[in-house]
Amino acid sequence: MTSDGIFVDRVTLSYDGGQVTPVENISLAIPKGTVLAMIGPSGSGKSTLLRGIAGIEKPAKGDIFLNGEKISPKRQKIGFVPQNYGLLPWKSVEENILIGVRIKDSLNGDVLSKMNEFMENLGILEFRHRFPKEISGGQQQRVSLARAFLLNADALLMDEPFSALDAITREETQDVFLSLWKKQKITTLFVTHDVEEALYLGQRIVVLSNEGKILRELDNPFFGNREDKLQEEFFKMRSKIRELIQKAGSDK
Amino acid sequence: MKRKAIASYFFAAAGIFVIWQIVALLTHIPMIPSPILVLETLIDIFLSDIAIHAGYSFLRIIAGLLLAVVIGYPLGIMMGYFKKCDRFLSPFVYLTYPIPKISLLPIIMLILGVGESAKILMIFLIIVFQVVIAVRDGIREIPKETFFPLISLGASFKHFFFYVLWPATLPKFLTAIRVAMATAISVLFFTETFGTTYGMGYFIMDAWLRVNYLEMYAGIVALSYIGLIIFCFIDFLETLSCRWQKRR
């Protein structure tokens, strides 16, 4: 059974020849054009699952499908944004953005003008010839997002993408992500440990348990809305998720 | 910044020159001639003698270096990138690396004779180990996360090589060549005292035997310049290709 979007079918991921199994028998569906936030205590295997979907780790069992096809980094366009933004230190900002389209052989004039538009909108145009080391973390994250969105990926996977940023830059960059996402509606899965981030950027939220299993899947009415942060329902939802995570973390 | 650096090198060169002159004046023996006389001799015999000898030495270094890069670089990449390759080849490298290569010279000369190939092979042996180890360790030091976004983009080995392996190993690779070069030139000097009538080693030792100290010193200065030119060239390549490492 497959459908459009990302479909994780009873997947197990393990290391060291099966001795460590951070993810066991997980099934998960992310409908096309939606964002799913994955949250859980540390050691719940959320990053491992993300890397599995990104094609970086091979599942020991089960299959992962993207838009009805078995997922394949070679055939499909998968954007992966790691926690440290995944920029190559020896490439300029511009070259870093272009890596995706270069590898996918889809570099042309349209892409270049689109890249300039992106850089302009993201406020990184003036840094185009600089190296990642020479710009701030928030700017690096914008470069990383520009790479993923310029590629117009079939799936976007982000591993705690905003966690290394300071509070103000984090909110700004979250807004940048949201505005890019609203234009392209790339099927997105991101891992976070920040409940408020999950509530702001995830249309649905999945809470993972300590054993690498899905504890709860929730619809999120607060997606893309910062104003609701002061409402009582928001507080309730936030505490509910926090409790779930705490419970998951203590179930050893 | 650049101009300052050039100026300071010029200042150091002038300093060495002055010290040399003072020592020559104080000792006043033919074994330590004045640098002015040495430079005059160097200019006088440059085109007629030194240029030819220097050309031979330079070509031998370049040939040994190219051979070492052509063989050592891919080997280093393979050992750094493919774990199985490393497991198989590492013991060989570790066992042969500490052998002082110069001690192999008699064997090499027995097998290859005293001609060009023995000299080039010696230079090759000295540089190749440095290259293999620098490139392999350069790859090992790349955090594996660096590859993740490229893996999920479906990158091929070609992409990994040009986007990650090559730029990441370049600084170490160039440093290794620079370090090995000093030893390579010394060994070249030594090999050029056998079985050839061309090369700076031959020229210097020949001047020594003829008790022509001015020509001997001129040869030493010329050989030093060969080393300096190669050093500067590697430095230049490094600043050109490793701009990303410099902080603003």
Side-chain angles (χ1 to χ4, degrees):
Chain A
M1 66 157 265
T2 55
S3 56
D4 273 1
I6 299 168
F7 180 62
V8 178
D9 187 17
R10 286 163 292 177
V11 161
T12 298
L13 286 151
S14 53
Y15 295 121
D16 298 333
Q19 292 197 350
V20 188
T21 310
V23 174
E24 211 176 346
N25 202 20
I26 272 195
S27 294
L28 186 68
I30 306 155
K32 194 175 184 170
T34 64
V35 192
L36 181 85
M38 193 154 62
I39 198 163
S42 51
S44 57
K46 49 194 193 302
S47 293
T48 310
L49 177 57
L50 196 79
R51 286 205 292 272
I53 299 171
I56 298 160
E57 316 271 359
K58 295 253 171 324
K61 276 182 226 156
D63 289 307
I64 300 164
F65 298 90
L66 175 57
N67 297 337
E69 255 186 273
K70 252 196 175 180
I71 205 155
S72 153
K74 294 256 184 227
R75 271 178 291 130
Q76 290 154 320
K77 290 190 278 186
I78 305 169
F80 180 74
V81 178
Q83 201 172 351
N84 62 4
Y85 323 122
L87 303 181
L88 297 177
W90 38 79
K91 296 274 181 200
S92 67
V93 161
E94 194 174 72
E95 279 303 313
N96 261 297
I97 297 175
L98 287 175
I99 282 170
V101 286
R102 276 199 204 279
I103 289 177
K104 290 295 175 197
D105 260 335
S106 53
L107 185 61
N108 55 41
D110 286 349
V111 171
L112 284 177
S113 61
K114 203 170 151 200
M115 175 181 71
N116 285 334
E117 197 187 308
F118 269 142
M119 287 199 289
E120 177 114 51
N121 291 340
L122 297 177
I124 50 176
L125 190 63
E126 56 178 309
F127 308 126
R128 60 194 301 172
H129 299 304
R130 291 216 195 151
F131 292 104
K133 215 178 183 176
E134 299 166 345
I135 59 176
S136 72
Q139 287 157 350
Q140 289 182 33
Q141 181 54 287
R142 286 164 192 240
V143 174
S144 192
L145 289 174
R147 178 199 286 173
F149 281 92
L150 184 65
L151 184 66
N152 203 358
D154 300 314
L156 175 59
L157 307 159
M158 306 194 291
D159 193 358
E160 307 210 6
F162 311 106
S163 64
L165 304 172
D166 65 81
I168 293 166
T169 316
R170 188 185 311 144
E171 288 202 354
E172 276 172 17
T173 320
Q174 286 168 350
D175 291 341
V176 164
F177 164 75
L178 206 58
S179 71
L180 285 171
W181 185 84
K182 278 180 177 159
K183 279 183 207 139
Q184 289 188 20
K185 297 253 162 71
I186 294 177
T187 312
T188 302
L189 169 66
F190 75 96
V191 163
T192 180
H193 61 248
D194 177 352
V195 179
E196 289 193 10
E197 184 169 283
L199 285 167
Y200 183 47
L201 296 180
Q203 289 170 317
R204 280 185 321 134
I205 299 170
V206 160
V207 183
L208 287 192
S209 80
N210 221 353
E211 296 95 28
K213 286 183 176 142
I214 291 173
L215 195 68
R216 194 74 64 86
E217 218 175 318
L218 306 153
D219 280 318
N220 173 26
F222 302 103
F223 169 71
N225 198 336
R226 272 204 209 285
E227 279 74 55
D228 286 348
K229 239 176 157 176
L230 298 172
Q231 278 183 20
E232 214 191 316
E233 286 82 26
F234 183 87
F235 284 121
K236 271 188 194 158
M237 182 102 175
R238 196 179 63 179
S239 336
K240 185 172 154 195
I241 295 172
R242 282 207 175 133
E243 273 166 33
L244 278 170
I245 296 168
Q246 264 164 13
K247 195 168 154 266
S250 60
D251 281 352
K252 290 246 172 187
Chain B
M1 174 66 209
K2 264 239 154 116
R3 207 172 273 172
K4 252 188 191 165
I6 291 168
S8 66
Y9 280 109
F10 193 78
F11 187 75
I16 293 167
F17 196 86
V18 168
I19 294 167
W20 182 358
Q21 178 68 53
I22 291 169
V23 173
L25 282 174
L26 287 177
T27 52
H28 208 72
I29 46 174
M31 283 81 100
I32 307 178
S34 146
I36 299 166
L37 291 176
V38 170
L39 283 186
E40 270 176 11
T41 315
L42 179 61
I43 292 163
D44 280 349
I45 58 167
F46 184 77
L47 283 181
S48 60
D49 292 286
I50 291 201
I52 300 158
H53 292 286
Y56 269 91
S57 293
F58 193 73
L59 285 179
R60 284 167 187 150
I61 294 175
I62 296 301
L65 174 66
L66 283 182
L67 197 62
V69 170
V70 165
I71 293 177
Y73 191 84
L75 213 57
I77 292 280
M78 272 157 56
M79 286 174 70
Y81 192 73
F82 303 105
K83 282 210 176 75
K84 269 187 192 156
C85 213
D86 188 44
R87 222 172 295 146
F88 181 70
L89 290 173
S90 259
F92 288 95
V93 172
Y94 276 110
L95 288 178
T96 49
Y97 179 58
I99 299 172
K101 305 303 168 299
I102 189 79
S103 66
L104 297 175
L105 187 64
I107 304 171
I108 289 170
M109 289 202 304
L110 279 176
I111 296 167
L112 294 177
V114 287
E116 292 305 314
S117 44
K119 296 174 176 59
I120 292 169
L121 188 65
M122 278 312 297
I123 297 171
F124 161 79
L125 281 177
I126 285 161
I127 303 176
V128 74
F129 283 92
Q130 305 278 353
V131 169
V132 169
I133 290 173
V135 172
R136 186 200 60 180
D137 290 352
I139 292 177
R140 277 189 185 170
E141 277 170 28
I142 304 170
K144 67 176 199 286
E145 289 80 14
T146 309
F147 295 97
F148 288 174
L150 299 185
I151 296 172
S152 57
L153 284 165
S156 61
F157 182 76
K158 184 188 93 187
H159 296 124
F160 286 126
F161 180 76
F162 286 110
Y163 288 131
V164 182
L165 305 181
W166 168 257
T169 54
L170 200 53
K172 274 190 176 247
F173 170 61
L174 289 175
T175 307
I177 288 179
R178 200 167 34 179
V179 171
M181 195 52 79
T183 326
I185 292 172
S186 313
V187 168
L188 176 75
F189 176 91
F190 190 59
T191 60
E192 282 180 346
T193 58
F194 299 96
T196 179
T197 48
Y198 289 106
M200 289 315 294
Y202 168 77
F203 179 83
I204 292 167
M205 293 310 282
D206 183 55
W208 178 63
L209 289 172
R210 288 186 283 114
V211 205
N212 189 337
Y213 292 132
L214 282 178
E215 286 197 2
M216 183 184 83
Y217 272 88
I220 294 169
V221 171
L223 185 60
S224 309
Y225 270 106
I226 292 178
L228 187 67
I229 289 166
I230 295 173
F231 258 56
C232 287
F233 182 67
I234 296 172
D235 241 14
F236 169 73
L237 285 183
E238 219 173 342
T239 37
L240 204 72
S241 54
C242 309
R243 269 193 314 136
W244 59 273
Q245 281 195 319
K246 299 264 181 318
R247 271 201 171 273
R248 246 167 214 255

